[in-house]
């Protein structure tokens, strides 16, 4: 359980790692991304609070599986959760039980195969609540999305 405030770049940063776990953190006012995990091979993000970052709340790039469960993401200037697979790769998703408020996109995923986006509360996204691109076999069920400026899903 870390409290990270007013970082000039990212609140939490880990790159090129396998099976990264980031849990129970309170991150605020990051100059770029709240939690940034570039070039990882699998990540679990659970029970984090991320607010007022200048870019995305949580950003994950790489391959493997991504589990984002029970996070509270609000008032960041990019996406709440941004997941982008490396070229030729795909993430398996477990995006569940997150509260995502006042983001550009609530959940934005590019490159996924399998898994689910379920039981999330997404409010007041300036663009889309949930946006999936280049994804196959992903269940999107039981989400509560309200007041998106673009598509709900």
């Amino acid at each position: 359980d870390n409290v990270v405030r007013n970082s000039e770049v990212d609140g939490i940063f880990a790159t090129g790692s396998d099976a990264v776990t980031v849990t129970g953190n309170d991150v605020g006012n990051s100059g770029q991304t709240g939690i940034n995990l570039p070039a990882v091979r699998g990540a679990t993000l659970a029970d984090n609070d991320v607010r007022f970052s200048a870019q995305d709340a949580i950003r994950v790039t790489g391959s493997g599986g991504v589990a984002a469960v029970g996070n509270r993401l609000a008032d960041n200037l990019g996406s709440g959760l941004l997941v982008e697979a490396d070229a030729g790769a795909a993430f398996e998703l477990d995006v569940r039980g997150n509260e995502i408020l006042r983001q550009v996109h609530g959940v934005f995923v590019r490159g996924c195969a399998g898994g689910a986006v379920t039981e999330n509360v997404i409010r007041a996204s300036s663009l889309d609540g949930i946006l999936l691109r280049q994804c196959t076999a992903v269940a999107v069920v039981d989400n509560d999305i309200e007041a998106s400026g673009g598509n709900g899903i």
Side-chain angles (χ1 to χ4, degrees):
D1 293 304
N2 299 295
V3 175
V4 182
R5 294 278 185 272
N6 303 311
S7 299
E8 291 207 19
V9 184
D10 300 322
I12 297 173
F13 179 83
T15 187
S17 300
D18 292 335
V20 176
T21 299
V22 181
T23 60
N25 297 286
D26 184 350
V27 180
N29 298 306
S30 298
Q32 292 183 16
T33 300
I35 300 172
N36 191 4
L37 306 178
V40 299
R41 290 164 301 283
T44 300
L45 302 116
D47 300 316
N48 296 291
D49 289 306
V50 184
R51 301 181 190 289
F52 304 112
S53 296
Q55 295 178 8
D56 305 310
I58 297 174
R59 180 181 179 138
V60 180
T61 64
S63 61
V66 172
V69 179
N71 297 289
R72 289 152 306 281
L73 314 173
D75 302 305
N76 301 283
L77 298 181
S79 296
L81 175 63
L82 175 65
V83 177
E84 293 185 291
D86 291 339
F91 280 108
E92 182 172 345
L93 299 177
D94 178 8
V95 178
R96 177 174 29 97
N98 298 288
E99 181 180 55
I100 304 173
L101 310 173
R102 298 173 300 278
Q103 307 293 149
V104 173
H105 294 283
V107 175
F108 182 0
V109 180
R110 180 179 293 127
C112 57
V117 180
T118 62
E119 301 172 6
N120 299 287
V121 174
I122 301 172
R123 298 278 187 270
S125 299
S126 58
L127 292 177
D128 302 313
I130 298 172
L131 176 60
L132 303 177
R133 288 193 178 158
Q134 300 165 341
C135 292
T136 60
V138 176
V140 179
V141 294
D142 294 327
N143 295 287
D144 184 352
I145 302 168
E146 186 177 308
S148 295
N151 299 305
I153 301 172

